[in-house]
Amino acid sequence: MTPIQIVFLLASLCFRASATKHPCTYKEKIYQDGQTFIDVYSECKCDDGKVTCSQRVYPKNPCTYKEKIYQDGQTFIDVYSECTCNDGQVTCSQRAYPKNPCTYKGNNYQDGQTFIDVYSECKCDDGKVTCSQRVYPKNPCTYKGNNYQDGQTFIDVYSECKCDDGQVTCFQRVYPKNPCTYKGNNYQDGQTFIDVYSECKCDDGKVKCSQRVYPKNPCTYKGNNYQDGQTFIDVYSECKCNDGQVTCSQRAYPNCKCDNEKATCSQRVCPIANQPPTNPPPTPLPTTCPCPDTHCCRVVWRYGGKKRTSCCPQCRFTQDTWGSDCVHI
């Protein structure tokens, strides 16, 4: 055998070795090259000793709807609905009907079409025409040789101006007010602050202060609480709460007199409690009253804390019990 023949023989053997593809081993099973097989939910293939798998494609289910069978993906009409079969489930939606055209002043318009009618802008909506007033572009302005678009604002020295459909309107510019510096502290315009006993405010760079108004204190008197300014009765005194201090003054009681079968009353001050009487002891009350009108005497007894209904014929001032009760008899 010549050297050339030997070379050709070796090349042929190498070609045959490379052309032979290998089988596959997968989960302890042997598969030939090109063989396909199922692995649970996957479809696999042996490719020259290597196994490649992909998810299995299952056929989708048909649908049964109102005793009719439809294939997966098939669409059909059910009265006013358009339905689709999707893997055994039917889904329906309302059918979209073509909307009607419009006829307006002898002209025909398609649904959704807009058109102009003199000063109105109209639209065809499913056979009905709706119109609204046309919006015209507003005019620009010319002011001191300058042109401005509608709605544009500009500054004219101390005024702020605006172009409004060809007309310029101006008003005085609003300048930001100045802050204040007070005792080394900075305050914004309108800001209020406390300075010891004063309440101060920054007003465009100037600080204005006024005396602080403190809330007045309530009062506690004989175990009871009273608000500032509140008045109350303490036995024979009329008292008032004034910023935590209670001041009392002697109460004025009616003084009655019976004259010519008529009772008249005037104000008389009751003696201060716990002081000895200055008048003689009271005389016994009469069993009958010479005065026809007993209202005055009853008022006197009521002020004195008495429950009796007798009147006071003599109407002279005295003290019933030492320092504890004041009556008229």
Side-chain angles (χ1 to χ4, degrees):
M1 182 177 293
T2 64
I4 295 175
Q5 291 176 333
I6 294 172
V7 170
F8 276 103
L9 178 60
L10 294 173
S12 175
L13 293 173
C14 291
F15 176 77
R16 289 180 181 179
S18 61
T20 302
K21 292 188 177 181
H22 302 88
C24 301
T25 301
Y26 185 79
K27 293 185 178 180
E28 299 181 355
K29 292 184 179 180
I30 297 175
Y31 301 94
Q32 297 301 318
D33 179 66
Q35 183 179 353
T36 58
F37 56 93
I38 301 298
D39 177 28
V40 191
Y41 302 108
S42 300
E43 186 172 347
C44 303
K45 183 179 181 180
C46 175
D47 184 11
D48 193 19
K50 295 182 180 179
V51 174
T52 55
C53 296
S54 59
Q55 190 174 6
R56 294 179 68 183
V57 179
Y58 295 90
K60 292 187 177 182
N61 299 313
C63 302
T64 301
Y65 185 79
K66 293 185 178 181
E67 299 181 355
K68 292 184 180 181
I69 298 176
Y70 302 94
Q71 298 301 315
D72 178 69
Q74 184 178 352
T75 59
F76 56 92
I77 301 299
D78 177 31
V79 191
Y80 301 109
S81 301
E82 186 172 348
C83 304
T84 303
C85 173
N86 186 11
D87 195 17
Q89 299 291 330
V90 174
T91 55
C92 296
S93 59
Q94 190 174 5
R95 294 178 66 184
Y97 294 92
K99 292 187 177 181
N100 300 312
C102 301
T103 300
Y104 184 79
K105 293 185 178 181
N107 297 318
N108 296 323
Y109 303 96
Q110 298 300 315
D111 177 70
Q113 184 177 353
T114 59
F115 55 93
I116 301 299
D117 177 31
V118 192
Y119 300 109
S120 300
E121 186 171 348
C122 305
K123 184 178 181 179
C124 173
D125 185 8
D126 195 17
K128 296 181 180 180
V129 173
T130 56
C131 296
S132 59
Q133 190 174 6
R134 293 179 66 184
V135 179
Y136 294 91
K138 293 186 177 181
N139 299 312
C141 302
T142 300
Y143 184 80
K144 293 185 177 181
N146 296 318
N147 296 323
Y148 302 96
Q149 298 300 315
D150 177 70
Q152 184 177 353
T153 58
F154 56 93
I155 301 300
D156 178 31
V157 192
Y158 300 110
S159 301
E160 187 170 348
C161 304
K162 184 178 182 180
C163 173
D164 185 9
D165 195 18
Q167 300 290 327
V168 174
T169 55
C170 297
F171 52 91
Q172 190 173 6
R173 293 178 66 184
V174 178
Y175 294 91
K177 292 187 176 182
N178 299 311
C180 302
T181 300
Y182 184 81
K183 293 185 177 180
N185 296 318
N186 296 322
Y187 302 95
Q188 297 300 317
D189 178 69
Q191 185 177 353
T192 59
F193 56 94
I194 301 299
D195 177 30
V196 193
Y197 302 109
S198 301
E199 187 169 349
C200 303
K201 183 177 181 180
C202 174
D203 185 9
D204 195 17
K206 295 181 180 180
V207 173
K208 299 178 180 179
C209 296
S210 59
Q211 189 174 5
R212 294 179 66 183
V213 178
Y214 295 91
K216 292 188 177 182
N217 300 311
C219 301
T220 301
Y221 184 80
K222 293 186 178 180
N224 296 318
N225 296 323
Y226 303 95
Q227 297 301 317
D228 178 70
Q230 185 177 352
T231 59
F232 57 94
I233 301 300
D234 177 32
V235 191
Y236 306 109
S237 300
E238 185 170 350
C239 303
K240 184 177 182 180
C241 174
N242 185 14
D243 194 17
Q245 299 292 328
V246 173
T247 56
C248 296
S249 59
Q250 198 173 7
R251 294 179 67 186
Y253 291 88
N255 180 30
C256 297
K257 181 179 180 182
C258 185
D259 185 16
N260 296 327
E261 298 185 349
K262 291 184 180 179
T264 57
C265 297
S266 61
Q267 295 292 329
R268 192 166 185 178
V269 178
C270 185
I272 302 175
N274 297 326
Q275 289 187 2
T278 58
N279 293 320
T283 58
L285 292 170
T287 58
T288 60
C289 182
C291 301
D293 184 5
T294 61
H295 173 73
C296 173
C297 296
R298 289 176 181 170
V299 170
V300 172
W301 285 106
R302 190 157 52 249
Y303 272 107
K306 300 298 183 181
K307 302 299 182 183
R308 299 176 61 177
T309 60
S310 300
C311 66
C312 45
Q314 298 183 20
C315 295
R316 63 188 179 84
F317 191 80
T318 184
Q319 187 165 326
D320 186 16
T321 303
W322 187 279
S324 62
D325 197 5
C326 179
V327 298
H328 289 78
I329 59 173

